[in-house]
Amino acid sequence: MSAIAAVLLKPGKERSLARRHPWVYASAVADVSGAPASGALVAVRDSQRRFLAWAAYSPASMIRARCWSFDEHDRIDSDWLVSRIEAAVARREELQQVTTAVRLVFGEADGLPGLVVDRYGDFLVTQLHAAGIDAHRQVLLDALCRSTACENVFDRSDPALRAREHLAQVGGVLRGAAPPKHLCISEHDARYWVDLRHGHKTGFYIDQRDNRRLVGNLVPQLRARQARAPRVLNCFCYTGGFAIAAALAGAQAVTSVDSSADAVELARSNATLNALEPPAGRAAASAPGALSAVQFDWLCADVFEQLRMLRTEGRRFELIVLDPPKFATNQHQVERAARAYKDINLGALRLLERGGMLMTFSCSGAVNADLFQKIVAGAAVDAGTDCFVRARLGAGADHPTLLTHPEGEYLKGLLLERT
Ligand code: SAH
């Protein structure tokens, strides 16, 4: 084992690794011996040269090494990597009974830092964001294809993230066929068109699956309680995930808002796909297969402005979803993000009927759950509303959080009930 390169930490810098946090920051490194190549296996040692972890070396990254294992007895070879892939895929087996869109590998949480793999039907979509993953790319892809029986791998690595790590750009078809322009996925009783090539993230907000399901459960609850089918407002609707879930569950009307015309167009075709709306250009009456008389409103608009306009118009809703983009990408943006979160939550709460529900999210890692709750509480006070916290929400089970790596938990939400 002495041939393996080593990363030696400065005194005291072993603490976070001792707590099994999987990152070694460049500023913690005292010395690197053995001239490891990019992505090569290194042993991380404390200032007394005691073993701490096996890791992949990232010579150009602020995160200089990402840990594979804290067990000195582990042999980090192809078999070990394959077993990690197999374990990650096995962990999601049950989920694949209810959906054809699943996150199969979620980086650190699955012991594969820098690797994200989403499965959409017969397609695997990858994000390769670390040197250690690049160094073993073929082994990892082989294992993924074998354990899923998928032959098609399409890469959607973030060019900016790869540039930051000094990794040559990848992207596009890595194995098999190119994805179709739109691929149809199914999730519970809903179906969605997904654009794997250009859609957000890897094409779809897979992480919101459980919350779409929750919306589907809340609609009949609200109907039973209020003796009328709820009117739903879905802000930042993207391709209509929450809108379709609400409509399928029997909402009376669903108003969706997004500033992207492409997203709204795909959202509308998702309504058609689910037989909730007739194809564009045809009147509702000519759609004999239509399930229900849900009234869709698709607004290509700015949510901040639209919330004010809806208030001016005197509109009211029994269920509102707020799922905005990441308002803070780092600590410096938290204050500005807090104002934006407060603004939309205030606007939404002012439109919410008594007894109605607000499902509000933040996917900004820099805004933690405590701060998010404080922001929303401030909005509720300003709106003159009293609310219960009915549930705390997060990403689905295919986006697990490692107890020792809380940074992995980016999505947080609150389900509030207005009293
Ligand atoms: N709720 C969606 C995901 C939202 S992603 C889902 O479940 O699939 C964030 C969306 O917000 C994107 O579609 C983006 O186009 C939209 N967006 C960003 N800023 C906006 C703004 N100010 N007003 C309206 N939409 C906005």
Side-chain angles (χ1 to χ4, degrees):
M1 283 286 166
S2 57
I4 293 175
V7 167
L8 199 68
L9 300 189
K10 293 175 185 165
K13 293 295 183 185
E14 69 286 350
R15 273 185 221 125
S16 81
L17 262 79
R19 287 194 300 266
R20 297 200 165 212
H21 189 278
W23 295 345
V24 177
Y25 285 100
S27 58
V29 175
D31 190 26
V32 179
S33 66
S38 177
L41 180 66
V42 291
V44 184
R45 298 187 176 277
D46 70 9
S47 57
Q48 308 293 308
R49 300 195 166 271
R50 282 178 298 224
F51 176 90
L52 292 167
W54 298 117
Y57 188 58
S58 287
S61 176
M62 286 215 332
I63 303 173
R64 193 52 49 91
R66 290 171 169 86
C67 297
W68 294 122
S69 160
F70 297 93
D71 185 345
E72 192 167 8
H73 302 296
D74 276 346
R75 253 184 76 116
I76 314 299
D77 54 13
S78 296
D79 287 349
W80 188 89
L81 292 166
V82 169
S83 71
R84 286 273 152 133
I85 292 283
E86 287 172 353
V89 171
R91 219 167 272 145
R92 276 80 169 182
E93 209 165 282
E94 238 170 77
L95 261 182
Q96 300 196 46
Q97 325 244 318
V98 298
T99 177
T100 59
V102 181
R103 174 148 297 187
L104 290 180
V105 179
F106 187 37
E108 281 76 3
D110 286 296
L112 295 163
L115 178 65
V116 164
V117 184
D118 289 339
R119 177 179 193 161
Y120 294 95
D122 292 336
F123 282 83
L124 301 179
V125 183
T126 54
Q127 291 185 315
L128 318 170
H129 289 157
I133 296 301
D134 259 21
H136 302 285
R137 195 194 298 178
Q138 300 313 329
V139 168
L140 293 166
L141 294 184
D142 285 346
L144 278 163
C145 290
R146 211 174 325 113
S147 56
T148 57
C150 284
E151 290 169 358
N152 311 303
V153 183
F154 190 75
D155 184 68
R156 286 288 309 275
S157 294
D158 181 340
L161 281 184
R162 284 192 63 92
R164 216 163 66 192
E165 302 279 322
H166 292 212
L167 301 171
Q169 295 301 339
V170 282
V173 177
L174 299 184
R175 300 266 168 108
K181 187 161 187 284
H182 293 123
L183 182 108
C184 183
I185 58 140
S186 68
E187 177 185 284
H188 297 292
D189 54 350
R191 292 195 295 157
Y192 298 98
W193 292 116
V194 178
D195 179 351
L196 298 185
R197 298 170 200 227
H198 310 107
H200 288 184
K201 305 206 326 156
T202 59
F204 193 61
Y205 286 82
I206 296 182
D207 52 357
Q208 290 285 24
R209 180 191 312 110
D210 291 356
N211 300 318
R212 282 186 284 274
R213 181 82 161 161
L214 181 56
V215 161
N217 292 335
L218 290 173
V219 165
Q221 276 179 37
L222 285 164
R223 185 178 49 208
R225 195 194 294 177
Q226 308 198 325
R228 64 178 288 184
R231 295 162 295 180
V232 179
L233 174 63
N234 178 22
C235 296
F236 309 97
C237 70
Y238 186 49
T239 55
F242 288 109
I244 302 302
L248 285 172
Q252 176 198 117
V254 182
T255 301
S256 297
V257 188
D258 200 286
S259 55
S260 155
D262 287 347
V264 171
E265 191 187 317
L266 199 52
R268 291 190 80 132
S269 48
N270 281 329
T272 309
L273 177 67
N274 288 278
L276 291 160
E277 207 174 45
R282 271 208 270 154
S286 67
L291 272 182
S292 65
V294 55
Q295 165 72 47
F296 279 113
D297 234 338
W298 302 105
L299 306 174
C300 185
D302 176 74
V303 165
F304 293 82
E305 287 169 21
Q306 196 62 45
L307 287 170
R308 287 184 241 286
M309 247 153 76
L310 291 167
R311 186 174 183 221
T312 311
E313 290 166 9
R315 299 277 298 275
R316 310 290 292 164
F317 300 90
E318 283 79 26
L319 176 58
I320 301 179
V321 179
L322 284 180
D323 182 25
K326 202 189 276 181
F327 286 154
T329 46
N330 59 49
Q331 215 54 45
H332 305 293
Q333 298 171 350
V334 167
E335 217 178 289
R336 203 184 57 193
R339 281 197 293 276
Y341 284 122
K342 180 158 179 195
D343 194 7
I344 54 172
N345 280 280
L346 174 61
L349 284 161
R350 283 178 164 155
L351 301 173
L352 191 65
E353 284 287 11
R354 283 181 186 280
M357 307 261 195
L358 170 65
M359 190 183 270
T360 179
F361 295 97
S362 161
C363 61
S364 305
V367 174
N368 66 33
D370 274 356
L371 175 59
F372 184 58
Q373 181 166 334
K374 283 198 187 100
I375 295 166
V376 177
V381 170
D382 286 8
T385 55
D386 288 315
C387 296
F388 291 124
V389 177
R390 283 275 303 255
R392 289 174 206 284
L393 311 172
D398 47 346
H399 295 64
T401 306
L402 205 58
L403 193 53
T404 52
H405 181 248
E407 292 91 334
E409 190 167 25
Y410 61 99
L411 179 67
K412 64 214 75 79
L414 293 168
L415 175 65
L416 302 180
E417 177 182 336
R418 186 177 168 195
T419 61

